[in-house]
Amino acid sequence: MELFHTPEQALQWADANRDRTVGLVPTMGALHEGHLSLVRQAKRDCRLCCATIFVNPTQFAEGEDLGKYPRTLDADLAGLADAGCDAVFLPTAEQIYPPGFSTYVQPPQVASGWESSSRPTHFRGVATVVLKLFHLVPTSHAFFGQKDYQQLCVIRAMSRDLNLPVQVVGCPIIRESDGLAMSSRNRYLDSDQRLRARLLSLALAQADQAIENGVHDVQALQQLMTQTLSAGTVVDAGGATATVPGIPVGGVDSIDYAVLLDADTLQPIEHLQQPFVGLIAARFGSTRLLDNRVWQPVQ
Amino acid sequence: MELFHTPEQALQWADANRDRTVGLVPTMGALHEGHLSLVRQAKRDCRLCCATIFVNPTQFAEGEDLGKYPRTLDADLAGLADAGCDAVFLPTAEQIYPPGFSTYVQPPQVASGWESSSRPTHFRGVATVVLKLFHLVPTSHAFFGQKDYQQLCVIRAMSRDLNLPVQVVGCPIIRESDGLAMSSRNRYLDSDQRLRARLLSLALAQADQAIENGVHDVQALQQLMTQTLSAGTVVDAGGATATVPGIPVGGVDSIDYAVLLDADTLQPIEHLQQPFVGLIAARFGSTRLLDNRVWQPVQ
């Protein structure tokens, strides 16, 4: 596995391989099975895979966890090599944002609301660094996890709007055995929070079960998700409310949103007649966790 | 000379020629010798030249001259063929901005002030369409006229900040025999305005002469340019103020700016100890004309 520390090396490698299909996997390091699944998917779809590890300062706001964001470089490189990654680009912040840097991407409409409500400049930073990486390491494909669903929508819309010659591939969420979506930020959770963190996936599973059972009212489904998150309870097959064995009493500390939206535009919906997504952001102390699930239209 | 009407055709051509140096010349049509000089420069520096003709709606504000912007397609194509252009990309507004388009470039710091004072969203539109064209017709070089000096600075800074793999080449202003910088908007001038339009280049020549004569005070030089523009007079070798033969009495209708600035940042300067630019925007009725001149540091 080759390591590139300068933009020139990365571009040279991409240039030398431009006749091959190459999959790019942009990451911020602190890699888990979710990231490694992107590398494996890239290696299935493409001849080569190049990962990038860069903790991007412009997508963090003042007071967020940029400084304490986990850095696990040795383990990251071992994991990438093991997953079959061919090359890793490891730029510094000074290389990506030299003095005088001042051009940003003004992200597409789908960046509005949801994550942007609590992180107003987040997607500007994400879109800008992804565009720069697409130029620095030009590849035929780029792989992103569906876990950060709004981010995936933003990158897809940006790529379409700016005519980027790269195919953006979204990959399924990888979960812990109890259903928690893998995230680099899960390591911030204490043991009590970690048990309650399961409520995000449980809320989505509750909605799924209810849809299966014929509940097609958007408000009712959102209420069900909110109830599972805030009270830590589920509705069983008989319609009774019950606590969940193994989850400490009490729900999440707070809910940022728990909504059903149009899966493409992330606009609110009134019916389930287009592809739709359940989108959740909830907090445990200062840790924010995300989860989501996509459904096909209910006939 | 090949004509491409769809993005797919243009990309295919660029792809087929990616092992050759190719110069891109983005234009809005209504071509004059200034544009054709860019094509000739591209053909000197590169193996092939592709021009684009696209009147870009996002760089016009409400009430500007988008609707009446001159369209002279037959003459444009004849001129391009004659200048040795190999290919022309002629997209429609719907192809460049399909429904749902919503991602823009937030232009670099150097876009602030000057043109942006009267056209606040202009450079957002310019930067966005240029970035899109760079993706739609990937080439090794791109040629822009120095006449739109702030635009050239914006495109250079964007290319650097976003790591665009294209070399941006600025080309000299081409002038009419009386010194007027060529512009598609010159055809809006009536015969009286056309005579007075010479005052922009005269103001810059006056500044040049004064610098040559040892005037190195920025305020004094700006005042000299302003006086030439507003009064239509020049200062002769003996220091006397005189009218200019052949220019009707009265200066320009109004001055937007007539300033000396740092040639790279377009920030105000106090001394002439770095490369600097004289930047002028003035109006004749509803027609706005630009001109500029770059100087090396005065020792």
Side-chain angles (χ1 to χ4, degrees):
Chain A
M1 191 170 71
E2 294 183 67
L3 301 190
F4 310 126
H5 292 277
T6 69
E8 294 68 30
Q9 292 172 312
L11 184 57
Q12 205 167 18
W13 181 85
D15 242 16
N17 289 298
R18 67 179 184 180
D19 286 324
R20 297 189 170 95
T21 54
V22 181
L24 188 73
V25 178
T27 81
M28 299 212 299
L31 304 184
H32 50 65
E33 272 304 305
H35 299 104
L36 300 179
S37 77
L38 301 178
V39 172
R40 293 193 194 96
Q41 186 64 48
K43 288 290 283 186
R44 278 192 292 273
D45 291 0
C46 300
R47 174 77 181 71
L48 296 169
C49 174
C50 177
T52 69
I53 298 180
F54 178 60
V55 183
N56 175 36
T58 63
Q59 70 191 71
F60 291 80
E62 202 71 44
E64 285 185 357
D65 58 346
L66 172 61
K68 69 162 187 168
Y69 196 83
R71 266 86 169 173
T72 59
L73 185 59
D74 291 346
D76 291 350
L77 294 178
L80 289 170
D82 190 58
C85 190
D86 299 283
V88 188
F89 178 37
L90 302 145
T92 64
E94 291 66 32
Q95 287 168 331
I96 299 296
Y97 300 112
F101 174 90
S102 59
T103 308
Y104 291 88
V105 175
Q106 181 183 313
Q109 185 58 37
V110 74
S112 300
W114 319 122
E115 283 305 282
S116 294
S117 300
S118 55
R119 314 183 73 189
T121 61
H122 175 65
F123 286 124
R124 187 183 80 150
V126 169
T128 301
V129 81
V130 168
L131 181 64
K132 284 169 66 73
L133 289 171
F134 283 178
H135 292 147
L136 284 165
V137 197
T139 61
S140 55
H141 295 66
F143 296 80
F144 295 89
Q146 190 190 303
K147 205 273 282 173
D148 295 303
Y149 190 84
Q150 191 176 11
Q151 169 178 286
L152 179 60
C153 293
V154 167
I155 292 167
R156 281 200 165 120
M158 171 179 79
S159 299
R160 181 200 65 210
D161 284 352
L162 299 183
N163 311 101
L164 285 162
V166 59
Q167 190 176 328
V168 174
V169 183
C171 298
I173 298 175
I174 306 298
R175 298 180 180 280
E176 303 287 354
S177 58
D178 70 346
L180 174 64
M182 290 197 186
S183 163
S184 303
R185 289 189 169 100
N186 288 351
R187 65 191 81 191
Y188 296 154
L189 300 169
D190 67 26
S191 57
D192 171 80
Q193 291 170 334
R194 171 63 190 83
L195 291 170
R196 288 185 287 135
R198 193 183 151 203
L199 289 169
L200 280 78
S201 62
L202 262 181
L204 293 163
Q206 282 277 293
D208 186 57
Q209 191 58 56
I211 292 166
E212 195 76 14
N213 292 344
V215 181
H216 294 169
D217 179 76
V218 173
Q219 295 306 321
L221 292 164
Q222 291 184 161
Q223 180 131 20
L224 183 63
M225 294 197 295
T226 300
Q227 188 187 321
T228 298
L229 291 167
S230 59
T233 56
V234 293
V235 179
D236 69 17
T241 299
T243 57
V244 185
I247 299 190
V249 171
V252 303
D253 290 352
S254 66
I255 301 172
D256 277 9
Y257 50 82
V259 285
L260 293 188
L261 305 169
D262 181 288
D264 294 320
T265 64
L266 302 191
Q267 292 296 303
I269 52 174
E270 299 197 350
H271 309 288
L272 308 184
Q273 287 159 1
Q274 70 270 56
F276 60 102
V277 61
L279 218 56
I280 293 178
R283 293 178 196 247
F284 296 92
S286 60
T287 304
R288 261 178 108 250
L289 298 185
L290 308 182
D291 203 348
N292 68 80
R293 181 167 183 150
V294 176
W295 287 273
Q296 290 311 304
V298 172
Q299 299 309 326
Chain B
M1 190 171 71
E2 294 183 65
L3 301 190
F4 310 126
H5 293 276
T6 70
E8 293 69 30
Q9 292 172 311
L11 185 57
Q12 204 167 17
W13 181 85
D15 243 15
N17 289 298
R18 68 179 183 178
D19 287 323
R20 298 190 170 95
T21 53
V22 180
L24 189 72
V25 178
T27 82
M28 299 211 299
L31 304 185
H32 49 66
E33 272 304 304
H35 298 103
L36 300 179
S37 77
L38 302 177
V39 172
R40 292 192 195 98
Q41 186 64 48
K43 288 292 281 187
R44 278 192 292 273
D45 291 359
C46 301
R47 175 77 181 73
L48 297 169
C49 174
C50 177
T52 69
I53 298 178
F54 178 60
V55 183
N56 175 36
T58 63
Q59 70 191 71
F60 291 80
E62 202 71 43
E64 285 184 356
D65 57 346
L66 172 61
K68 70 164 185 168
Y69 197 83
R71 267 85 168 171
T72 59
L73 185 59
D74 290 345
D76 291 351
L77 295 178
L80 289 170
D82 190 56
C85 191
D86 299 283
V88 188
F89 179 37
L90 303 145
T92 64
E94 291 66 32
Q95 287 167 329
I96 299 296
Y97 301 112
F101 174 90
S102 58
T103 308
Y104 290 87
V105 175
Q106 181 183 314
Q109 185 58 37
V110 73
S112 301
W114 317 123
E115 283 305 281
S116 293
S117 300
S118 55
R119 312 182 74 188
T121 61
H122 174 65
F123 286 124
R124 187 182 81 151
V126 169
T128 301
V129 81
V130 168
L131 181 65
K132 284 169 65 73
L133 290 172
F134 283 179
H135 292 146
L136 283 165
V137 197
T139 61
S140 55
H141 296 64
F143 295 80
F144 295 89
Q146 188 189 303
K147 206 272 284 174
D148 296 303
Y149 190 83
Q150 191 176 12
Q151 170 178 284
L152 178 59
C153 293
V154 167
I155 292 166
R156 282 202 164 119
M158 171 179 80
S159 298
R160 180 199 66 209
D161 285 352
L162 299 182
N163 311 101
L164 285 161
V166 59
Q167 190 176 329
V168 175
V169 183
C171 298
I173 298 175
I174 307 297
R175 299 180 179 280
E176 303 288 352
S177 58
D178 70 345
L180 175 64
M182 290 198 186
S183 163
S184 303
R185 290 187 169 102
N186 288 350
R187 67 190 81 193
Y188 297 153
L189 300 168
D190 66 28
S191 57
D192 171 80
Q193 292 170 331
R194 172 63 189 81
L195 292 170
R196 288 186 288 134
R198 194 185 149 200
L199 289 169
L200 281 78
S201 61
L202 261 182
L204 293 163
Q206 282 276 293
D208 186 58
Q209 190 59 56
I211 292 166
E212 196 75 17
N213 292 343
V215 180
H216 295 169
D217 180 75
V218 173
Q219 296 305 321
L221 292 165
Q222 292 184 160
Q223 180 131 20
L224 183 64
M225 294 197 295
T226 301
Q227 187 187 323
T228 298
L229 291 168
S230 59
T233 55
V234 292
V235 179
D236 68 18
T241 298
T243 55
V244 185
I247 299 188
V249 172
V252 303
D253 290 352
S254 66
I255 301 173
D256 277 9
Y257 51 81
V259 285
L260 294 189
L261 305 170
D262 181 289
D264 294 320
T265 64
L266 302 191
Q267 292 295 305
I269 52 175
E270 299 197 349
H271 308 287
L272 308 183
Q273 288 159 1
Q274 70 269 57
F276 60 101
V277 62
L279 218 55
I280 294 178
R283 294 179 196 247
F284 296 91
S286 59
T287 303
R288 260 178 108 251
L289 298 185
L290 308 182
D291 203 347
N292 67 81
R293 179 166 183 152
V294 176
W295 287 273
Q296 289 312 303
V298 173
Q299 298 310 324

